[in-house]
Amino acid sequence: MRIVLVGPPGAGKGTQAAYLAKNLSIPHISTGDLFRANISQGTPLGQKAQEYMRAGQLVPDEVTIGMARDRMAEPDAAGGFLLDGFPRNLSQAEALDGILRETGTELDAVLDLEVPEDEVVKRIAGRRMCRNDSTHIFHVEYSPPKAEGVCDACGGELYQREDDSEDTVRKRLEVYHSETEPIIDYYKAQELVVTISALGRVDEVTRRAMEALGRSA
Ligand code: AMP
């Protein structure tokens, strides 16, 4: 299956993407994770992306689209993939259509995770990520680790993402409404959108998502 996951920052895209990709046996491709990996490795691409991410802005398309295209061309993505955080504006959506056309493939679904804005702010303020694995995600209140600051899954150090600060979150939400939300209408016109509520327990949301995709969890 070829799936695009959309939703505001804090909707739980990263968490859900990890479970869905595993259930569907497809790679989870997150442009945010790819940028963060480039930043921690100090690559030129990471250096370019960092200032935009710090400001809560989108990294320019000429950087992002090439990176996403290269990742989708890797062998593990030949049979399908779950895109998390790409496309994030209309020109990226059009570029993705072009990439799919070139490979003679198409999207199966666009899964839209819906969550009220006040919930988004609460989720992001308390979010803590593991330095070893970006899919190990905790929340100081909703899903706290057993020991403060330590990942339950692997013992890695937990940290707060630099762009999860209140000001940057506000900017990211603004960017989501003005640049990313329009892609939902773009995909509605292609009858690809399935919308689910992202409220509730993580496993409940995963089950809802699998059902919406026509698969049982
Ligand atoms: P995420 O991990 O998906 O929340 O992304 C974190 C940040 O990475 C975003 O706020 C952007 O600065 C950047 N980013 C991730 N994906 C994209 C994309 N498709 N286009 C532009 N910037 C992106």
Side-chain angles (χ1 to χ4, degrees), residues 62-155:
E62 59 270 24
V63 178
T64 307
I65 292 168
M67 181 183 74
R69 174 196 294 274
D70 289 349
R71 178 63 189 88
M72 280 185 272
E74 283 178 27
D76 66 334
F81 45 72
L82 177 63
L83 291 176
D84 160 15
F86 181 86
R88 238 176 170 103
N89 61 24
L90 280 175
S91 63
Q92 292 180 12
E94 283 162 4
L96 175 60
D97 277 349
I99 294 168
L100 294 169
R101 257 196 312 274
E102 279 166 23
T103 51
T105 55
E106 49 188 33
L107 292 177
D108 296 290
V110 174
L111 185 66
D112 172 25
L113 296 184
E114 226 174 33
V115 57
E117 197 135 320
D118 54 343
E119 177 69 16
V120 159
V121 175
K122 274 193 258 167
R123 284 186 183 193
I124 294 186
R127 175 157 73 178
R128 299 293 180 269
M129 319 268 292
C130 173
R131 286 213 189 271
N132 292 344
D133 185 331
S134 62
T135 63
H136 299 163
I137 304 171
F138 297 84
H139 189 282
V140 290
E141 205 182 313
Y142 304 148
S143 56
K146 290 195 186 83
E148 197 184 320
V150 181
C151 176
D152 287 354
C154 71

Side-chain angles (χ1 to χ4, degrees), residues 4-21 28-33 36 82-88 110-115 120 123-124 127 129 134-135 137 161 172-173 176 180 183-184 196 198 202 205-206 209:
V4 167
L5 202 55
V6 288
K13 293 192 298 295
T15 303
Q16 289 304 325
Y19 286 110
L20 293 172
H28 166 205
I29 300 181
S30 155
T31 41
D33 285 351
R36 280 183 288 275
L82 177 63
L83 291 176
D84 160 15
F86 181 86
R88 238 176 170 103
V110 174
L111 185 66
D112 172 25
L113 296 184
E114 226 174 33
V115 57
V120 159
R123 284 186 183 193
I124 294 186
R127 175 157 73 178
M129 319 268 292
S134 62
T135 63
I137 304 171
R161 264 171 57 172
R172 285 163 64 203
L173 275 168
Y176 179 75
T180 308
I183 71 171
I184 297 177
I196 62 160
V202 169
V205 179
T206 308

